[in-house]
Amino acid sequence: MGCGRVGSSLARSLEKRGHDVSVIDTNAESFRRLGPEFRGTTVKGVGFDRDVLVKAGIRGADGFAAVSSGDNSNILAARVVREEFGVHNVVARIYDQGRAEVYERLGIPTVATVRWAANQVLRGLLPEGSEPVWRDPSGSARLVQVHVHEGWIGSTIGEIQQAVRTPLPFLQRYGTAMVPTAETVLQDGDLLYAAIELDRTDEIEQVLGEAPERY
């Protein structure tokens, strides 16, 4: 639902991966963003209207993304799709961070646009510590991009994991994400991601924020 810049890009990306895609928008002119190569279905209407959803094929859908410009519309559509049509693979884009946290606790995965952008800028300005990339709805576990002291450069991922006692599922190198092995050597400029329990955040930040010879 939503054929703005995000929705149209998402639709094209899904189609390129071999998926059948239906796009709903209140403005038929928005479908021009999909381009001439798009072969999916377009439906003009309100994305939380049941008849519109049925026309778009919701009864046979494997997933639903609510990415219109309205928080209320996105959440309402996500709830209708989950509760009335039984589609549980649902994601809603939310601008209001407070609302996003509420709906995450209700079990509706959300993408808080403002929070994500702010975190990305903050990471560039203040590389120390860690910034959450993902967290589970209960808030007890999260995936964080964590600052690593230069003294760890040359250490293997296995050695670093042993020091922090938590998984390091992937890293970003030269702008490309990769899943490291225990033998992968940390290089200068790598961005490291850690899967952590919330109550261990300070501990892991301290270990990785200082030279390894102390541990």
Side-chain angles (χ1 to χ4, degrees):
M1 183 188 80
C3 196
R5 285 175 293 181
V6 173
S8 58
S9 177
L10 177 62
R12 291 194 302 269
S13 295
L14 286 169
E15 191 174 62
K16 287 179 180 177
R17 287 166 171 77
H19 298 282
D20 295 321
V21 184
S22 294
V23 182
I24 300 170
D25 199 284
T26 57
N27 182 5
E29 293 296 313
S30 298
F31 298 136
R32 292 183 178 182
R33 294 190 176 97
L34 295 168
E37 302 299 320
F38 184 71
R39 295 292 178 265
T41 301
T42 57
V43 179
K44 181 180 181 297
V46 178
F48 49 81
D49 182 280
R50 292 155 185 78
D51 292 336
V52 170
L53 287 165
V54 170
K55 185 176 180 180
I58 195 64
R59 296 192 190 281
D62 295 313
F64 179 79
V67 292
S68 76
S69 59
D71 284 6
N72 291 335
S73 296
N74 289 341
I75 284 300
L76 182 56
R79 295 192 64 179
V80 168
V81 166
R82 289 194 66 177
E83 296 169 13
E84 297 200 20
F85 293 98
V87 179
H88 294 285
N89 184 18
V90 173
V91 179
R93 181 174 71 168
I94 303 296
Y95 287 91
D96 186 319
Q97 179 175 334
R99 287 182 179 179
E101 293 173 353
V102 170
Y103 290 117
E104 283 178 354
R105 287 195 289 270
L106 292 176
I108 299 176
T110 62
V111 177
T113 307
V114 174
R115 181 178 65 196
W116 181 87
N119 284 342
Q120 293 300 102
V121 174
L122 184 63
R123 167 54 63 207
L125 293 173
L126 302 172
E128 294 80 9
S130 65
E131 284 298 320
V133 176
W134 173 91
R135 63 181 178 180
D136 79 309
S138 71
S140 60
R142 58 182 57 190
L143 179 69
V144 299
Q145 182 189 110
V146 60
H147 168 72
V148 180
H149 188 278
E150 61 183 9
W152 288 98
I153 295 173
S155 301
T156 66
I157 295 299
E159 291 169 338
I160 302 173
Q161 285 185 147
Q162 185 175 6
V164 295
R165 296 180 292 110
T166 198
L168 304 174
F170 70 96
L171 61 81
Q172 190 171 354
R173 177 173 294 170
Y174 303 125
T176 301
M178 59 182 292
V179 177
T181 67
E183 290 74 35
T184 300
V185 176
L186 189 71
Q187 298 182 11
D188 187 18
D190 286 352
L191 298 178
L192 192 62
Y193 293 79
I196 66 174
E197 296 173 334
L198 182 59
D199 58 3
R200 295 196 63 220
T201 302
D202 292 343
E203 172 194 347
I204 292 170
E205 287 181 355
Q206 181 179 356
V207 172
L208 294 179
E210 301 180 1
E213 50 265 26
R214 293 186 55 185
Y215 299 92

